[in-house]
Amino acid sequence: MPNRRILSLWFPRLGAERLIRMERGTFDAPLAVLRDTGQMQVISSLNVQAEDAGLELGQPLRDAQAVCPGLITRLQNIQGEAAFLTAIRRWAGKFSPWVAQEAPNALMLDLTGCAHLFGGEEGVLDAVAQDCTDLGLTVRGGIADTLGAAWALARFAAQPGAAHRSGDDIDQEAPATRTRAVKRRHWTRGGTPPQKQAGPARVGRIAPPGQTHGALADLPVAGLRLERDTQAELARLGLRRIGDLSGQPRAGLARRFGKGLVLRLDQALGSVPEPVSPATPRPLFAVRMTLPEPIGLQSDLLAAIERLLPPLCDRLKERGQGARVVRLQVFRADQTMQWVDVGLARASDDPERIRPLLRMKLDEIDAGFGIDMLRIEAIRAETLHNRRAAGHLEAGRAVADRLAAGHVLDDLIGRIGARIGLEQITRRHPASSHIPEKGAQSLYAAWSEPWQAAWPDVSVARPVLLWRPEPVQAPDTPRLTTPFRWRGRDMEWVTARGPERIAPEWWLEEADWRSGVRDYWRVTCATGERLWLYYAHGSTMSAGWFCHGAFD
């Protein structure tokens, strides 16, 4: 069996280059994609010109504009970038059938048994470089025996041994004077921005089979996919390269930095397996409409939805599927996107059952500067089983009426669920238990069928209302005396029927049943109230009287 070979593809400028492709290359200036953190906007992606101007990822917008006044900015579209990465994953399927996405900007490919189709691993990297150049994408790659090693080679092979400046090292502390700091940041006062190092000449680096340890030895510890705090702690101890860690005792590393560091190190070196988990292929049920001019009125959105739903439902019918959750995506003119989801109580391929639910969600959509594209996708679909009415005419009508009534109830559940959520709508089914509060169970109405049979008869009447047991002030005797006090009122009973003894489920530990065996009484008070009282004989909790419900 050939050695396992993993290819890691990293797209460091994915967000910016996606926008450049959408604008057909019209961005001939520094471009930054911004992520809104709630308190400020920071850079999440840059193009080549912006990096050459001295900008960095994670830099606040105000600092970036001070460095580069001609900077062009766009807001990040996380969903759009994820969809773009999915499209790239489909392209990467030409190199291997085993491709996994690694959000937000990377792919993992299992090349085992595939590289010879492209003339070897060098040929694979050359083909990747050529295709990405044609697509206008920047890519870095790494091939190794393990997933962790390939990940590290793709990102850090161009900068081996990069030091982590923490400020705690004496070599770093001595020159950290105010004069040197001012010289380092002269570009903030109008000087020439510092020039970043040019990228690697090659697209990627290959670690020969069986030489993973040597290929990783000179790479920084950040190549182990560690948290920033762990990297800083390692740098303070002088452990800046992976080779510095590989010779250390595992027990000491685990005690000082936790098991996560040891796990990542063993995964990179191949001591612990780490599989490539490819995305599960699924049928895509989606339609979209590109508009010549941006729109913003609800009537225009509804007209577009009415044109999109029939072809979507036709695709569902061809596959015998019905939509259970439908997503409406609106793409604005400023390259941002918003979506709303609606759920159906029963899977359907009928546009008339989906349209009203989407109409109810239109108030949540902010058109912004205008909407220039709409997309509707059935993100969750289920198999539909066609049902036909058979038999005499009367029987057929009865079946049709029953099915129509069921659709009406499902539509009602779907419309209410669009407002408050399908999880808030429940229905009651009988349950098999002698415990009063477990005599019925609540099921989600959207994922259950109505109870068709008659409700099971009980030998002893049960109250209409049940609540958690409430203490009753009465003498501690199994026989109820009058008067007694409940909810701050003095009450007298006129008639009492009982007792009905109910024992707890001994195989379960329930807080409400720690008072032991109960003797239930149906008590009619002088005020007309009919209460359900019980005397608890005591167990881990003391004995006493409690009120559990009311009959009307």
Side-chain angles (χ1 to χ4, degrees):
M1 181 177 178
N3 292 330
R4 185 167 178 255
R5 302 294 286 170
I6 305 298
L7 168 62
S8 175
L9 296 180
W10 176 45
F11 303 91
R13 305 187 183 105
L14 183 71
E17 290 173 343
R18 183 186 74 89
L19 295 177
I20 293 174
R21 284 174 52 86
M22 293 180 62
E23 297 293 336
R24 302 297 189 270
T26 56
F27 287 118
D28 191 15
L31 171 66
V33 181
L34 304 178
R35 182 181 74 253
D36 195 344
T37 64
Q39 298 178 345
M40 69 177 78
Q41 291 180 335
V42 298
I43 296 176
S44 65
S45 182
L46 297 166
N47 67 348
V48 178
Q49 292 92 327
E51 291 183 357
D52 293 341
L55 304 184
E56 298 179 352
L57 298 180
Q59 191 174 20
L61 174 60
R62 58 179 181 272
D63 295 345
Q65 290 178 330
V67 175
C68 182
L71 179 66
I72 300 175
T73 60
R74 294 290 186 271
L75 289 178
Q76 184 183 26
N77 186 344
I78 299 177
Q79 294 76 24
E81 292 180 5
F84 187 47
L85 184 61
T86 301
I88 298 176
R89 186 200 74 208
R90 292 196 292 268
W91 156 79
K94 65 182 289 186
F95 301 105
S96 170
W98 213 254
V99 185
Q101 287 185 217
E102 186 180 4
N105 56 2
L107 298 175
M108 286 292 178
L109 293 79
D110 192 334
L111 283 182
T112 307
C114 301
H116 69 280
L117 301 175
F118 300 87
E121 295 174 351
E122 290 283 357
V124 172
L125 290 181
D126 292 341
V128 168
Q130 183 60 48
D131 288 355
C132 289
T133 300
D134 297 339
L135 295 172
L137 299 177
T138 302
V139 65
R140 299 288 182 265
I143 300 178
D145 294 337
T146 64
L147 187 150
W151 190 94
L153 290 174
R155 289 159 176 79
F156 298 100
Q159 44 178 337
H164 179 92
R165 296 190 62 87
S166 64
D168 293 342
D169 193 335
I170 189 63
D171 295 334
Q172 300 175 17
E173 183 179 357
T177 61
R178 182 177 299 274
T179 303
R180 291 289 300 273
V182 171
K183 289 182 179 179
R184 252 194 333 266
R185 300 190 58 201
H186 69 281
W187 45 268
T188 61
R189 298 178 293 144
T192 304
Q195 298 296 320
K196 302 182 75 67
Q197 269 189 329
R202 294 185 301 173
V203 168
R205 178 178 168 185
I206 300 175
Q211 301 184 23
T212 301
H213 187 281
L216 296 180
D218 291 334
L219 300 187
V221 294
L224 294 177
R225 297 169 289 175
L226 302 177
E227 298 180 356
R228 290 186 177 274
D229 294 342
T230 304
Q231 297 178 32
E233 284 293 326
L234 290 171
R236 291 189 180 99
L237 297 177
L239 302 174
R240 297 186 176 88
R241 298 175 179 84
I242 297 178
D244 300 334
L245 290 175
S246 59
Q248 300 295 327
R250 296 292 192 269
L253 292 176
R255 284 195 303 268
R256 180 66 183 267
F257 304 102
K259 295 181 179 180
L261 170 61
V262 177
L263 175 63
R264 288 302 192 187
L265 181 60
D266 290 341
Q267 286 177 340
L269 298 178
S271 302
V272 175
E274 186 177 8
V276 175
S277 301
T280 303
R282 62 181 182 88
L284 181 65
F285 301 104
V287 291
R288 70 175 182 178
M289 175 185 294
T290 303
L291 305 171
E293 294 291 338
I295 62 174
L297 299 178
Q298 284 193 7
S299 57
D300 296 336
L301 289 175
L302 187 59
I305 291 173
E306 290 179 351
R307 294 187 60 181
L308 288 174
L309 282 179
L312 174 64
C313 292
D314 291 341
R315 295 185 182 183
L316 290 168
K317 291 177 182 178
E318 292 176 0
R319 302 291 295 270
Q321 300 285 310
R324 193 63 184 267
V325 179
V326 178
R327 172 171 294 175
L328 169 64
Q329 297 174 316
V330 294
F331 296 82
R332 305 187 186 98
D334 59 352
Q335 307 300 335
T336 59
M337 186 266 285
Q338 182 184 358
W339 81 92
V340 292
D341 291 344
V342 295
L344 286 83
R346 190 184 303 274
S348 175
D349 57 6
D350 185 3
E352 299 300 328
R353 298 186 59 194
I354 303 175
R355 183 184 299 110
L357 303 180
L358 292 176
R359 183 189 299 118
M360 297 172 63
K361 289 287 189 176
L362 292 183
D363 293 335
E364 302 179 11
I365 294 179
D366 180 13
F369 294 101
I371 298 170
D372 54 13
M373 189 176 76
L374 290 90
R375 184 175 183 270
I376 300 180
E377 179 183 2
I379 60 175
R380 186 184 304 169
E382 298 177 359
T383 302
L384 287 182
H385 302 283
N386 294 327
R387 295 172 290 184
R388 297 183 179 180
H392 298 291
L393 181 60
E394 293 79 6
R397 289 176 179 174
V399 173
D401 294 340
R402 184 169 66 253
L403 294 180
H407 286 314
V408 171
L409 179 60
D410 293 339
D411 291 343
L412 176 62
I413 294 173
R415 294 189 182 189
I416 298 176
R419 294 291 187 186
I420 64 175
L422 290 175
E423 294 79 7
Q424 305 299 324
I425 308 173
T426 60
R427 55 165 55 105
R428 301 285 283 176
H429 278 216
S432 178
S433 177
H434 69 282
I435 302 298
E437 54 266 33
K438 295 182 180 180
Q441 56 181 338
S442 296
L443 303 178
Y444 291 124
W447 290 276
S448 62
E449 296 288 342
W451 180 258
Q452 302 294 341
W455 199 269
D457 294 331
V458 293
S459 57
V460 182
R462 290 287 183 260
V464 178
L465 299 176
L466 278 178
W467 49 72
R468 294 196 64 178
E470 299 177 355
V472 174
Q473 298 178 12
D476 189 6
T477 60
R479 292 284 179 177
L480 183 64
T481 60
T482 188
F484 62 90
R485 189 173 182 81
W486 174 63
R487 289 185 177 178
R489 296 184 298 161
D490 293 327
M491 308 184 70
E492 296 185 2
W493 60 272
V494 179
T495 61
R497 299 182 60 184
E500 176 193 358
R501 177 159 292 186
I502 298 179
E505 296 172 331
W506 55 266
W507 58 91
L508 297 178
E509 178 65 26
E510 297 182 271
D512 290 342
W513 281 85
R514 292 176 181 172
S515 55
V517 177
R518 302 175 179 178
D519 287 343
Y520 279 88
W521 296 77
R522 286 177 287 168
V523 176
T524 303
C525 300
T527 57
E529 296 174 273
R530 301 173 60 205
L531 303 177
W532 206 34
L533 307 183
Y534 71 84
Y535 177 76
H537 288 265
S539 180
T540 57
M541 293 178 61
S542 59
W545 283 93
F546 297 87
C547 181
H548 200 181
F551 286 89
D552 49 24

